[in-house]
Amino acid sequence: MNQKLLKLENLLRFHTIYRQLHSLCQRRALRQWSHGFSSAYPVWTAQLYAWPWPTEMLTGAALSQYRFLVTKKEERPQKSQLSSTKSKKVVEVWIGMTVEELARAMEKNTDYIYEALLNTAIDIDSLEADSHLDDVWIKEVIMKAGMKLKWSKLKQDKVKKNKDAVRRPQADPALLTPRSPIVTIMGHVDHGKTTLLDKLRKTQVAAMEVGGITQHIGAFLVSLPSGEKITFLDTPGHAAFSAMRARGAQVTDIVILVVAADDGVMKQTVESIQHAKDAQVPIVLAINKCDKAEADPERVKKELLAYDVVCEDYGGDVQAVPVSALTGNNLMALAEATIALAEILELKADPNGPVEGTVIESFTDKGRGPVTTAIIQRGTLRKGCVLVAGNCWAKVRLMFDENGKTIHEAHPSMPVGITGWRDLPSAGEEILEVESEPRAREVVDWRKYEQEQEKGKEDVKIIEEKRKEHQEAYQKAREKYSNVQWKKRSLLQYLEIKEQTSLKRKEEMERDSNVLPVIIKGDVDGSVEAILNIIDTYDASHECELELVHFGVGDISANDVNLAETFNGVIYGFNVNVGKVIQESAAKKGVKMKLHKIIYRLVEDLQEELSSRLPCAVEEHPVGEASILATFSITEGKKKVPVAGCRVQKGQLEKQKKFKLTRDGHVIWKGSLTSLKHHKDDISIVKTGMDCGLSLDEENMEFKVGDRIVCYEEKQIQAKTSWDPGF
C-alpha cells in the first residue's frame, strides 16, 4: 500500500506543476490580448485568473481519499472471507415436531413450510399446523432453507420429577389390629340379595328400590347379635352393572354368592363367580328362596360344579347355607359361616398413619356438593384430612354412615360418606391421604400431566398411521398417472378430485341426517358408568351413528339443554330431576329429555330413538290377483297397444293402485295401468271372478297366457335397529 501511495503522490505533484505552468502561460497570453481591447471587465479577469491554486490542500485531499479507498478495498476481501467462513443458521429440531413448531424454530411462517414441502411425497392437503412431521420432511425443509439442523434432546431430557402420591409400604405385622370382614353380596338379578341384606340389617331397602331391582352399589355396616361387625357391599345383579360387581369384588374379603333355589345358576351368577375368581376372593354360597315348594338346593350345588364351585357336601371348601331371605330362616347360620371364614383368613389392618381406601360410589348432592361412599382400608379417617382420588382432591368437611348419621372417625373396613371434594372422583378410584392442600394440588396436577402425555403419545401414533395411509394413497395415485401425459394427467386428477368432493358432501349430508347425539346424566357415577358401558356395546353404526356428546353426574342443567340444542341431540336422565325452568327452556328450544328410573327402560327407549332415525322400510301388501287368459292388441291412433284379458282370482284389482307382472314366479314388470275395462266400459275396480281387459304403462311389454297380474299397495314400516345390548 505504501508503494501505491508514493506513486500517487508523484503523479499528483507532476499534475500540479503542469497546471501551474499552464496557468502562467494563460496569464501571459491574457496580458497581450488585453492591450488590444478596452478594459471593460478588469475586475472579472482579475478574479478569474488571479486565483492561486491551493496545491498542498488538493494533494492532501486526494491522498486522504485514496488512502480511504485503498483501505476499503483491502478490508473487502477480509469481510467476504469472514462471511464465507461464517456458519449457517442452526435450527434446533426434535422428533415428532409439528409444522407450527418447525416454523417457529426457523423464524418463518407455516406457509413457508408448506411451500418447502411442495412436490414431495407428503400430502400437503392433510397437513395442519399441529400435524407432526417425520424426520425426513424436517431435514428437507431445513435443507431447502439453507440452514443447518441440530437434533435437540431437550424434549427427551425435559422429564418432570414424579410427584404422585403412592401407597405406603406394608406395615410391621406387630402393629396390625383385627378388623371386620368386608363382604360383597353377588348374584343374578331378582335372586333376593337386597332382601337378604334387609333381614340382616332389619331395614326395607328393597321396598324403596324402583322396579324392585338394585341399581347402585351400597355399603352397610351390620352389627350381629354376637357383637361381631360385618361390612356388606350390595351389588346390582342386572346385566348392565357388570363394572359395579367387578369393583365390589376387588375391595372385598369374602363373596356371598346368592342363588335362587327355584331358578338355579343364571348368566349373572356365572359372571359373579368369575369376578370372585379374578379377585382371588373365597366364596360362601347362600341358596335363597328355600321356602318355595319348587326349591331344589341340590340342583343348584350340582350346577355350580360346572364352574369349579365345589360345596363341602361334594368334597370342596365352599360353605353352602340354604336360607330364606323372605322369612329370615337360617340367616344367622349364614352370618356365622361368614364370621368363621373371616377368622380363618385372619383379617388385620394398620389403623395408624395416612389413610388409604377405595371409592365405592360417588354422586352430587344439592346441599353437600360432591359426595363419595368409600371403604377405609388403612389408617383412621378424621375431619380435616386431605385426600386425593384420581384427578380430584378433598379436605374432609363431613363424614357420615349409611344412615346419614355424622361420625367423627372411620376405621379400617368401615363404609363412610365423605364430603368436601373439589370435583367428583370416579367410582373405583384409590383414596390416599396427603400432608397438605398444596401437596394435593401437586399430585392432581402431576396425574393430569401424565394423562396428557399418554394422550399425546396415542395421538402421535394415530397421526403417524394416518400419515402413512396418506403417503401410500399418494404414491398409488402417482403410479396410476405415471405413464400419462401431463395435460391428460391434470384433467384426470381434476375430475377425480371433483368426484371425491361431491361424494364427501353426499356422505356428510347422509351422516348428519343419520346421527343420534346423546347426553347422559345419572344420579351417581356408577350408574353413568353402567350406561356408558352399554353404549360401548353399540355395533350398528352402519345403520345410525350413536354419538356421545356429554355425560355427567347430577341433575339436568341449562348447559345440557344448550348442548343438546347445538348438536340436535337427546338428553337421557337416570334417577335425576329436572327443574321447571329447565323443562320450559327445553320445550322452547325443541330439545327432547327422556327421564327413567329403571336402567333397562332407558336402554329400550334409546333403541326406539335409534330406530326412529332409520329410513322406513317399504312393504308390499297384495290387494288382488288375476291370471291372463288371452292376449290381443288394439289400435290407438297409429300405435298398437298390447292388451291382456284377465280373470280376477283373489281380492280385487284397483286401477289407482300399483301392479306387477309375474312370469314363472319372477317379477318382470312393475308400474301402473293405463286402462282397465270390463267389456267396453272403463271401470276403476274389478272384483273376484270378474273378467277384464287391461293395458300397462310400458308399451313394449308382451303378455303371455298364464302370466299373473298382482295388484298391491306399499306401506312404510318403521325399521328397527339391529343393536342388541345383551339383555
Side-chain angles (χ1 to χ4, degrees), residues 499-515:
E499 186 180 355
Q500 286 176 356
T501 306
S502 62
L503 285 171
K504 280 181 183 177
R505 285 175 183 170
K506 189 178 179 182
E507 286 173 4
E508 285 174 2
M509 287 175 67
E510 288 176 358
R511 181 184 173 278
D512 292 341
S513 62
N514 213 25
V515 177

Side-chain angles (χ1 to χ4, degrees), residues 87-93 105 142 147-151:
S87 59
K88 297 177 182 178
K89 181 179 178 180
V90 178
V91 181
E92 285 194 357
V93 297
I142 290 177
M147 300 178 183
K148 276 188 175 183
L149 64 85
K150 178 185 176 184
W151 290 105

